[in-house]
Amino acid sequence: MSAVAPRAMGQPLSRFEGEDKVRGLATYAFEHPVPHPAYLSAVRSTVATGEIIGIDCSQASAQPGVLAVLTHLNAPRLGIDDGELRILQSGDVAFRGQFVGGVIAESSEIARHAAALVRVDYRERPHDVDLESSRERGQLRVPQQTMALFPMDTDKGDVDSALAAAAVQVDSTYRTPWYNHNPLEPHTTIACWTSAGLTLHVSTQHPQGVQTTVATAFRLEPDQIRVFSPHVGGAFGSKGPRHSDLILAVMAAQLVPDRPVRFALTRHQMFSQTGYRSPTMQRVRLGADADGRLTAVAHESIEQTSRLKEFAEHATRATPTMYATPHLQVRQQLAALDLPTPAIMRAPGECVGMFALESAMDELAVAGGLDPVELRIRNEPDTHPLDGLPFSSRSLPACLREGARRFGWESRDPTPRARRHDGWLVGTGVAAATYPTLRLPGSKVTIRVTPDGRHTVLMAAVDIGTGTRTALTQVAADALRVDLAQVELRLGDTAYPPAAPEGGSAGITSWGATICAGADELRRRLAADHGGTVPAEGLEVTVDMPENPHLKQYAMHAFGAQFAEVRVHDETGEIRVPRQLGVYAVGRVVNPKTAHSQLIGGMTMGLSMALHEASILDPRYGHVVNHDLATYHVSSNADVGTVDAYWVEEDDPYVNPMGTKGLGEIGIVGAAAAIANAVHHATGVRIRELPITLDKLLPHE
Amino acid sequence: MPITWSATHDRQGLDIMDTEITLRVDGADHRLTVDTRTTLLDALRERLGNTSPKKGCDHGQCGACTVLLDGRRANSCLALAVAHDGAEIVTAAGLATDGELHPMQRSFIEHDAFQCGYCTPGQIVSAVAMLEEAATGWPSTVTFSPPDGTAGEPDTGPVDLATNPDEIRERMSGNLCRCAAYANMIPAIQEVARS
Amino acid sequence: MRPFRYERATDPAGAVALLARSPQAAYLGGGTNLVDLMKLDVARPDLLVDVRGVTSRAIEELPDGGVRIGAGVSNSDLAADPLIRRRYPVVAQAVLAGASTQLRNLATVGGNLLQRTRCVYFQDVSTACNKREPGSGCSAIEGHNRDLAILGTSPDCIATHPSDLAVALAAMDATVQTVGPDGSRAIPLTELHRLPGSEPQHDNVLTHGELITAVDLPPLPFAARSYYRKIRDRASYAFALVSVAAAIDLADGQVRDVRIALGGVAHKPWRATRAEDLLRGGPATEERLRRAAEAELADAQPQSDNAFKIPLARNAIVRTVLDLTGTAR
């Protein structure tokens, strides 16, 4: 693995598709112009568990303009085992809101109305959707596997004894609610079956995954399916794994061959069909000596999954990486409930896990009378606390110090509830952030060069708003050692070589390393076979993502420090966050402009998580009742104050040829903890259950 | 009899009502047939193929569908097309003149005031309308000072957005951005407001 | 959305006649709530009668010194009107505290007053709701009720009325002018909306086909010193947890008159007459305000998740009125 010299990398370029986006001309999946489209609308179960005993489509079918009605009685048999995707295979209902049918019609208005006319009768069964009572009834189990390739339960030393002996102790339980991704673009598909195969326009983080899943489900060869995904209107993990809306759309299109079928989930349907972040209950126990040096760290998390499929978010994953401690224990438990299946959501694991750990670290600082920045620096490990591997690079102390300097931390009086301005209590807080530097398998790239020196780079990667199209072109230009103008990167089409999913902050690492290998191979072939001159017919190479020989030698993680200032109204409990500041150590930054946007976007989503977001499950019905954007609040413009993101220089020769560590997710990690810690500093009230709403801070006397 | 929207009743014989309407969209006249149920948003996106306004929530809760409707910004998802026969609509696509981007569009690119781009056309239409509203002296909740015991004459003159980011934040709050590019939108809009 | 016919009325009498013939017809104003509810299958009109061209879009001074607001005035135009801003700032502030500019541009004054509760169960036809489906039960009482009412609730419904404008108008003693099948009438705004009782399906006292044509604000010189304070979960673009509309008339440090109305706490804008009565004739001290607010809220019956609204409303009343008097913290 040879490092790539930066020329284009490091330039703050505006995103290449910017003009299309500001005009609204960038086409998202549903918008692709297709001739004579039909429209699909879904029918969903209105019971949480049970069995369909009757389904009457006569009224729906009789509507003028209805082309077909899809139910479990006429749906094709699927060749896929995934319980979440196996819809309409029987009359069984596994959660409220599950697809039980669909109507295809000449217009979206007709389809939607006719879907409401499909009458479904159920034999209901009692349902169990309550995580808290599952715990009380002892119905938890250890997950078979978590979402990422990290050890599940971890033990080092003797945590209980060390905690008992610790001079300073913290033992707190934190709760985070159910979150929905809510990308502004709903999940959408256009599906068209022809004799030649299946064409799909899908809003997805993984075109190849769509192709593979649909091929398996519908017993096709992958090359009979072409998937386009040129622009994606936000995803945050919800468009990584395939969900049942894709299956429903393909099934529906099969009923009207040669007609493109458009399907967009409604915002309400987005709350039950596209995955979500499981609620968590996390107990964190910390023990430290009188100097604040950790002697024991224990972190347990309880989450939920569905009965259809196991998904466990790795809430405790970051904990072994963060701080030096002789005694360490992490535990994870799961309840299977009659609910939709959770899924990855921005910074899965770290996002919720670090809310708990970094809140507990603040509690430890308060209990031990230590500055919370200094406490973290004092517990900085020399090597990875669990496996003893050296870090490929680790600059958490630098982030904390630089952040403290920029934020003005040194003048901070740690006394809670000691600052008041015009009726508002003022406080500041800090938290650390981390996210592993991941690489995801499955990428290939084709690079073509023509005698005029133009290079075309082909790869079925996607840009979900992260800036991939721009940043990856910068990587390609430097890998190929040419000017940006000589490189054309084409994405979002499975006609190109497969690409790993957009996720895990691994896009640039996985795709970029593949492109670098392709550039090396192109140079080798040019030199070996063509004397260094591009032949008249041009030259093309296709390579796989290379191995990284350093993977087993180093622990690879990005780090950061989050700072926040909050104001809490002393009579109403209203909360404002006028200032957030983050400093990150994320290796090389390929494009400072889009990177900055990613980081502040993550921080602001963290603000939204801290103050607003919660999907409210009504256990009697079994569904999220605030299933719209008026009642599931995400931060609005007025909620957001100054948000600044910076990074420290980091030269990491081990992670990949570019030296990048990924930064799409780390911005959200720790952001909510920094705000909760600032709320404690402002008010003296420790909020351990998100979101931090005014009723939790309101003076009741 | 009191209004009861929820009562059920026999609808036999009630056919879908198709109506022909005229819309002027981004300077071009269109005659089109719509269902009475068709919203302006769906008329634009699904009948006319103008997908510049976006469908994010379809219930007036996100602002992605914002267009200028007879000169004012409006959520096109809650406006029935049939009720706006003859209306003049400007989408983000129509803000550009002779292929030249509107200064607000250029500023959004320069300040990277978007990521995925899905809310962006609505944000830009909203921002352009906001400049006009502020110049006209339209207030926002931020324009009113908190009470101080006096009852002064209100200042109904133009509102300066360039130096008052809180005004921009409040006035842009009807456009949600899940990628959360808000902090970049403020300088993007201030720059245009200054010029 | 179910199929429906659309007609454009040209005058109030024509509009009323169209509705009188169609028991399932509804008036269409800005549509910002009605179209929303039709998409959810909560509202199911078979005929929409567009009344935007029917009612006045003017704001005019009345001979008695009051102001008449045409029912067709957009929320934006109402909030921007110099006369309203000068004489009744609380009204402009309340309008601006609601929704977003692009919604306020569409929404009319008449429609704003008739918007329906945002209770999540009312808006979800797959759940029980007495307001939507009388007799089906109230899902909110034992469900998600954090946003719902604490005053004037019934065992059948704990919904709140969502309008901010209505709260300010209640404080101002506004009057609603209507025309209906039985002629025209004037209804005090505080009597337009009703408490749920055993008939929560009825938000208000209007009869089928009765059309709001205007809202009259009486002359109220001290309303020039008025304020609308809205407390909510987001800093903007969210419905009220609690809101307070207040105006005060002080003479020699004594409360000569005071107006207080609350939003987000009841099935109707809640005029705090008990608090007002206690305040008149004495100084506007924090202590007296607190006692007045507590008296107003003495009958509050919180639900499982909204007891916080009681201290919140109390503190909001005290602070809003104190600020109006210019009392420093």
Side-chain angles (χ1 to χ4, degrees):
Chain A
M1 190 176 85
S2 56
V4 173
R7 284 174 63 236
M9 288 195 292
Q11 290 181 30
L13 302 181
S14 296
R15 47 190 90 223
F16 296 163
E17 74 282 10
E19 279 211 26
D20 286 342
K21 284 184 173 174
V22 297
R23 293 173 194 259
L25 300 181
T27 47
Y28 299 82
F30 186 91
E31 302 169 349
H32 187 79
V34 286
H36 202 34
Y39 292 83
L40 167 65
S41 185
V43 183
R44 299 192 301 152
S45 75
T46 52
V47 301
T49 46
E51 188 188 349
I52 297 172
I53 52 172
I55 191 156
D56 178 1
C57 307
S58 56
Q59 255 196 301
S61 303
Q63 289 290 305
V66 168
L67 298 169
V69 181
L70 178 66
T71 72
H72 68 285
L73 300 175
N74 65 348
R77 299 302 100 188
L78 296 170
I80 197 163
D81 295 331
D82 185 312
E84 185 187 353
L85 301 181
R86 284 183 60 80
I87 52 166
L88 311 194
Q89 300 301 289
S90 72
D92 281 345
V93 172
F95 63 89
R96 188 183 174 98
Q98 191 177 24
F99 290 140
V100 295
V103 175
I104 306 107
E106 296 287 351
S107 76
S108 58
E109 293 87 4
I110 296 169
R112 184 154 179 193
H113 174 53
L117 295 176
V118 175
R119 187 191 156 88
V120 187
D121 293 311
Y122 303 91
R123 183 183 299 118
E124 235 182 306
R125 287 194 303 269
H127 59 266
D128 177 9
V129 298
D130 191 343
L131 179 57
E132 189 88 40
S133 79
S134 286
R135 183 175 69 95
E136 288 160 6
R137 286 178 280 135
Q139 293 184 341
L140 302 174
R141 60 178 166 78
V142 175
Q144 284 150 15
Q145 58 175 40
T146 48
M147 39 138 301
L149 308 171
F150 286 77
M152 168 60 54
D153 289 353
T154 297
D155 282 288
K156 185 172 93 168
D158 180 354
V159 158
D160 290 329
S161 306
L163 281 168
V168 190
Q169 297 166 20
V170 170
D171 181 352
S172 293
T173 298
Y174 305 88
R175 285 179 167 78
T176 58
W178 173 320
Y179 296 109
N180 282 89
H181 309 75
N182 277 316
L184 254 283
E185 182 206 18
H187 289 225
T188 54
T189 303
I190 304 176
C192 185
W193 285 83
T194 64
S195 54
L198 179 63
T199 305
L200 295 170
H201 293 84
V202 185
S203 188
T204 179
Q205 294 169 247
H206 194 201
Q208 223 73 46
V210 169
Q211 186 186 44
T212 310
T213 297
V214 172
T216 308
F218 292 86
R219 305 174 205 277
L220 298 169
E221 293 303 318
D223 63 10
Q224 291 176 280
I225 303 166
R226 185 161 176 189
V227 182
F228 296 93
S229 191
H231 296 286
V232 177
F236 314 109
S238 72
K239 296 170 181 173
R242 272 63 63 202
H243 299 292
S244 54
D245 61 307
L246 171 69
I247 303 296
L248 193 73
V250 176
M251 280 180 169
Q254 212 167 14
L255 294 178
V256 289
D258 296 315
R259 280 199 77 172
V261 171
R262 278 182 166 154
F263 184 38
L265 288 184
T266 66
R267 181 56 56 183
H268 292 77
Q269 292 166 353
M270 293 283 289
F271 285 80
S272 59
Q273 304 299 334
T274 65
Y276 60 96
R277 199 197 296 278
S278 168
T280 69
M281 287 182 251
Q282 303 178 58
R283 183 180 180 200
V284 179
R285 289 174 294 159
L286 301 177
D289 65 19
D291 295 330
R293 285 193 174 74
L294 286 165
T295 53
V297 175
H299 188 175
E300 300 158 52
S301 178
I302 295 171
E303 296 160 20
Q304 73 192 29
T305 185
S306 74
R307 289 200 207 280
L308 292 171
K309 182 161 127 182
E310 181 173 296
F311 176 88
E313 183 168 344
H314 209 314
T316 58
R317 176 169 70 177
T319 300
T321 305
M322 287 306 298
Y323 302 112
T325 177
H327 304 279
L328 175 72
Q329 181 182 81
V330 308
R331 289 278 185 273
Q332 195 122 337
Q333 286 185 295
L334 203 56
L337 300 172
D338 297 312
L339 288 168
T341 311
I344 52 170
M345 182 167 165
R346 196 172 201 170
E350 278 71 11
C351 176
V352 282
M354 288 289 279
F355 166 68
L357 180 67
E358 290 302 294
S359 293
M361 285 296 282
D362 200 66
E363 295 200 49
L364 184 69
V366 171
L370 277 161
D371 177 76
V373 169
E374 173 57 27
L375 172 70
R376 288 171 173 87
I377 292 171
R378 201 167 285 184
N379 285 289
E380 179 71 1
D382 296 327
T383 59
H384 193 283
L386 203 55
D387 53 28
L389 287 179
F391 286 93
S392 61
S393 56
R394 176 170 171 131
S395 314
L396 176 56
C399 293
L400 287 161
R401 289 194 179 101
E402 176 68 1
R405 185 185 70 78
R406 288 183 178 274
F407 191 77
W409 186 264
E410 67 284 354
S411 57
R412 180 182 187 260
D413 169 5
T415 316
R417 210 180 173 84
R419 292 144 303 276
R420 196 179 297 259
H421 178 72
D422 212 13
W424 296 78
L425 298 161
V426 182
T428 52
V430 64
T434 189
Y435 198 76
T437 301
L438 302 174
R439 66 203 301 276
L440 301 174
S443 292
K444 264 184 197 297
V445 69
T446 293
I447 304 178
R448 288 183 199 141
V449 61
T450 46
D452 59 5
R454 298 192 59 79
H455 295 73
T456 309
V457 180
L458 306 173
M459 189 176 224
V462 281
D463 187 335
I464 61 172
T466 47
T468 297
R469 190 174 271 106
T470 314
L472 206 54
T473 304
Q474 292 173 265
V475 169
D478 287 351
L480 291 161
R481 301 175 194 161
V482 297
D483 289 340
L484 276 166
Q486 289 173 280
V487 179
E488 185 193 352
L489 174 72
R490 295 194 201 156
L491 308 172
D493 182 347
T494 54
Y496 307 145
E502 156 63 81
S505 296
I508 293 295
T509 292
S510 312
W511 308 327
T514 309
I515 290 172
C516 291
D520 287 344
E521 175 64 8
L522 186 69
R523 269 189 297 275
R524 194 192 65 75
R525 286 273 306 281
L526 271 177
D529 303 343
H530 303 280
T533 308
V534 179
E537 70 278 16
L539 184 63
E540 176 178 308
V541 298
T542 298
V543 304
D544 289 307
M545 180 168 79
E547 294 298 311
N548 180 351
H550 305 297
L551 272 188
K552 291 197 165 61
Q553 300 162 356
Y554 294 95
M556 302 178 182
H557 302 261
F559 291 91
Q562 307 267 12
F563 293 80
E565 176 184 328
V566 308
R567 293 178 178 228
V568 178
H569 196 279
D570 64 356
E571 289 164 332
T572 64
E574 291 162 288
I575 309 137
R576 300 285 182 265
V577 181
R579 196 156 64 107
Q580 287 178 277
L581 187 149
V583 178
Y584 303 91
V586 289
R588 179 184 308 287
V589 170
V590 173
N591 182 327
K593 185 180 262 189
T594 55
H596 183 264
S597 291
Q598 285 264 77
L599 292 168
I600 64 168
M603 293 165 71
T604 308
M605 200 183 257
L607 163 77
S608 190
M609 167 188 176
L611 300 191
H612 305 306
E613 292 182 42
S615 297
I616 311 291
L617 176 76
D618 187 323
R620 300 165 303 170
Y621 292 109
H623 73 301
V624 169
V625 291
N626 60 332
H627 45 188
D628 62 33
L629 291 176
T631 51
Y632 183 98
H633 284 164
V634 303
S635 290
S636 72
N637 205 320
D639 293 295
V640 181
T642 306
V643 188
D644 286 320
Y646 305 90
W647 42 87
V648 296
E649 287 297 314
E650 230 182 20
D651 180 14
D652 191 324
Y654 306 115
V655 281
N656 55 47
M658 300 79 63
T660 61
K661 294 168 84 171
L663 47 74
E665 290 165 284
I666 194 167
I668 198 174
V669 180
I675 290 167
N677 296 341
V679 165
H680 178 265
H681 187 228
T683 64
V685 180
R686 177 68 62 182
I687 306 290
R688 299 187 182 90
E689 180 169 5
L690 295 179
I692 307 168
T693 46
L694 63 85
D695 45 305
K696 296 172 183 170
L697 294 167
L698 175 70
H700 284 255
E701 290 314 311
Chain B
M1 200 188 88
I3 299 166
T4 311
W5 283 348
S6 57
T8 52
H9 68 293
D10 181 17
R11 285 171 185 270
Q12 295 300 316
L14 190 65
D15 289 333
I16 294 158
M17 303 299 292
D18 281 346
T19 311
E20 195 165 299
I21 62 165
T22 306
L23 295 174
R24 187 169 178 82
V25 181
D26 295 338
D29 290 319
H30 300 271
R31 280 202 79 69
L32 64 158
T33 301
V34 295
D35 192 315
T36 48
R37 296 171 291 189
T38 308
T39 61
L40 264 185
L41 177 63
D42 288 339
L44 291 166
R45 287 171 63 82
E46 295 173 9
R47 304 293 202 283
L48 298 178
N50 182 331
T51 56
S52 183
K54 305 299 185 191
K55 185 180 285 188
C57 72
D58 211 23
H59 288 273
Q61 300 163 353
C62 78
C65 65
T66 302
V67 298
L68 296 181
L69 172 59
D70 294 325
R72 291 185 171 188
R73 53 172 155 160
N75 300 83
S76 59
C77 73
L78 292 180
L80 292 171
V82 69
H84 294 277
D85 186 13
E88 164 129 34
I89 292 159
V90 178
T91 72
L95 286 175
T97 46
D98 301 330
E100 283 291 299
L101 293 180
H102 187 282
M104 191 66 76
Q105 292 173 315
R106 279 203 304 274
S107 194
F108 264 59
I109 294 174
E110 184 54 36
H111 291 273
D112 208 33
F114 57 92
Q115 291 194 46
C116 81
Y118 198 75
C119 74
T120 311
Q123 299 276 3
I124 286 172
V125 170
S126 223
V128 168
M130 173 182 63
L131 296 185
E132 181 67 28
E133 293 156 10
T136 313
W138 278 20
S140 79
T141 53
V142 172
T143 316
F144 292 90
S145 326
D148 59 0
T150 62
E153 274 297 288
D155 176 6
T156 55
V159 178
D160 178 20
L161 297 178
T163 58
N164 196 339
D166 283 342
E167 282 279 9
I168 298 175
R169 291 183 179 111
E170 165 59 27
R171 290 164 188 259
M172 289 298 291
S173 281
N175 294 81
L176 299 181
C177 174
R178 187 57 162 154
C179 300
Y182 300 123
N184 284 352
M185 290 180 205
I186 304 304
I189 293 168
Q190 282 178 305
E191 186 171 304
V192 181
R194 267 194 298 274
S195 60
Chain C
M1 205 187 290
R2 299 177 183 220
F4 60 87
R5 288 179 297 120
Y6 169 86
E7 295 200 37
R8 194 169 293 158
T10 49
D11 56 58
V16 170
L18 277 168
L19 246 71
R21 286 201 296 272
S22 306
Q24 300 304 322
Y27 291 129
L28 174 68
T32 52
N33 187 215
L34 179 56
V35 174
D36 171 22
L37 291 174
M38 287 167 67
K39 289 180 183 188
L40 296 171
D41 206 26
V42 173
R44 302 169 175 180
D46 57 6
L47 167 68
L48 285 187
V49 176
D50 193 335
V51 293
R52 285 170 308 150
V54 169
T55 52
S56 165
R57 298 189 189 190
I59 297 172
E60 307 162 299
E61 287 196 72
L62 292 169
D64 67 357
V67 173
R68 171 162 293 177
I69 305 161
V73 170
S74 77
N75 285 202
S76 292
D77 286 330
L78 175 61
D81 187 80
L83 197 62
I84 296 292
R85 289 172 67 182
R86 187 163 65 247
R87 293 202 195 159
Y88 311 95
V90 68
V91 171
Q93 290 159 2
V95 170
L96 293 168
S100 65
T101 309
Q102 47 268 64
L103 286 167
R104 295 192 293 267
N105 281 341
L106 288 169
T108 62
V109 166
N112 183 306
L113 300 181
L114 300 184
Q115 63 180 304
R116 310 211 65 190
T117 186
R118 291 329 197 269
C119 173
V120 295
Y121 301 101
F122 174 73
Q123 299 184 90
D124 183 345
V125 295
S126 76
T127 65
C129 169
N130 287 323
K131 182 180 279 298
R132 182 167 33 74
E133 206 67 52
S136 64
C138 173
S139 296
I141 287 173
E142 290 178 15
H144 176 49
N145 55 40
R146 180 172 176 273
D147 306 334
L148 301 181
I150 52 171
L151 288 165
T153 56
S154 82
D156 292 328
C157 183
I158 57 170
T160 50
H161 195 267
S163 168
D164 292 296
L165 170 62
V167 179
L169 294 178
M172 298 292 100
D173 270 337
T175 304
V176 175
Q177 304 290 342
T178 72
V179 54
D182 303 324
S184 51
R185 61 172 169 158
I187 307 168
L189 190 123
T190 50
E191 293 169 25
L192 173 68
H193 302 95
R194 51 186 298 287
L195 292 178
S198 58
E199 295 187 338
Q201 67 270 31
H202 301 146
D203 291 355
N204 54 57
V205 300
L206 299 184
T207 58
H208 179 69
E210 193 169 359
L211 177 69
I212 296 178
T213 54
V215 175
D216 291 348
L217 286 163
L220 194 70
F222 73 85
R225 182 152 47 156
S226 62
Y227 196 63
Y228 190 73
R229 174 86 157 94
K230 182 174 182 179
I231 297 157
R232 43 184 160 177
D233 279 327
R234 252 190 327 215
S236 183
Y237 202 21
F239 290 95
L241 294 168
V242 165
S243 66
V244 179
I248 191 159
D249 183 12
L250 282 175
D252 304 325
Q254 302 290 300
V255 178
R256 191 156 59 193
D257 200 356
V258 62
R259 300 294 175 83
I260 301 171
L262 301 174
V265 295
H267 196 257
K268 60 184 292 186
W270 190 266
R271 179 70 181 271
T273 47
R274 208 186 282 179
E276 292 177 7
D277 289 345
L278 285 169
L279 285 170
R280 284 191 198 94
T285 60
E286 183 164 352
E287 182 52 34
R288 287 189 77 239
L289 274 163
R290 194 180 165 97
R291 268 189 277 124
E294 281 170 351
E296 189 64 49
L297 296 160
D299 298 336
Q301 286 191 310
Q303 306 299 319
S304 52
D305 296 334
N306 69 1
F308 73 93
K309 285 193 176 189
I310 298 172
L312 183 61
R314 179 198 63 202
N315 293 358
I317 292 170
V318 172
R319 179 52 53 195
T320 306
V321 178
L322 275 181
D323 282 352
L324 280 170
T325 64
T327 306
R329 277 169 194 278

